[in-house]
Structure formats: structure tokens, C-alpha cells
Amino acid sequence: MTYTDMQNKKIHQGRNIKRFREMLGIKQEALAFELGDDWNQKKVSLLEQKETVESDILVQVAQILKVPAEAIENFDEEQAVNIISNTFTSNDTSTLNAINVQPTFNPLDKMVELYERMLVQQKEMIEKLERLIEKK
């Protein structure tokens, strides 16, 4: 697949919503609750099957998941894998030597930061569900 083919490939936004939701450990029911009264698990499931999602819903979901809307609109796993494999599996090791990345941050700190954010989100979701249960 050429770079032009990858550019012309349609991004499946619904699948990206599912991918980010699952990475964050958020259930469809919890996302439906956050989206409002007219949403339920089945409607979220149908949303995740749509290739293109309405921009207002996409923005709302992105805010709930705390990810940029552009990430949902543009993330293409196949393209990311192709770029990585083409960069790092070539027999020309000069590519690897030329990259020589020196991060200005500790990757482990970033993982801990992400994990802590996920815990906060999970706690918030539990609190919201508890309030919902109390109302009933």
C-alpha cells in the first residue's frame, strides 16, 4: 500500500471511539450515561459501528473520553503500524541510527501519569454511577 493509498483510505471513526473507550476502560453503558438521557448501551454500540460520526457527537464523545477530537477523526491503526514497520524493519540500520531519539521526559513518568489520569476518570465514573443509582 502506497502513502497515497493510505491517505485516501477512509478512517473508521466509530471504531476509533471504541478503541479509545476500551483503552480507557470505559464501558458502553458509562459512555451512554455521560452522553445524556436519550443514549443507552445499544445506541453507543451502533455509534461505534458507524464509519463517519456526526461532528457534534464526535466532539462530545472526545470531551467525555478526554482525548482530542482529531485523534478520533484521524487515527488509523493500520497506517501507524505500516509507518512503524517500514521505519524499523528495514535492513538499513542507518535509519535507526539517524533517529537516535533523546526524549526530554521519562517515558515511565508519562505511563504513571496516564495511569493516574485513568484512575481519576474511573473514580469519577463510579461516583456518577453511584449518584445515578441513588436517584432511582
Side-chain angles (χ1 to χ4, degrees), residues 59-84:
V59 168
Q60 192 177 0
V61 169
Q63 289 172 339
I64 292 166
L65 298 179
K66 295 183 172 98
V67 298
E70 295 79 18
I72 296 171
E73 291 173 322
N74 300 320
F75 182 74
D76 180 10
E77 184 176 37
E78 184 179 324
Q79 184 176 354
V81 168
N82 283 338
I83 290 169
I84 291 168

Side-chain angles (χ1 to χ4, degrees), residues 15-52:
R15 195 174 303 131
N16 285 345
I17 288 172
K18 179 178 181 178
R19 196 174 276 130
F20 284 110
R21 178 185 59 73
E22 288 177 341
M23 281 192 284
L24 293 167
I26 298 172
K27 300 274 186 204
Q28 288 179 332
E29 295 87 354
L31 181 56
F33 174 75
E34 289 295 319
L35 284 167
D37 292 337
D38 56 330
W39 284 85
N40 56 36
Q41 179 273 325
K42 178 72 175 166
K43 194 169 176 182
V44 170
S45 178
L46 292 172
L47 174 72
E48 291 177 349
Q49 294 173 30
K50 294 176 78 173
E51 188 168 334
T52 304

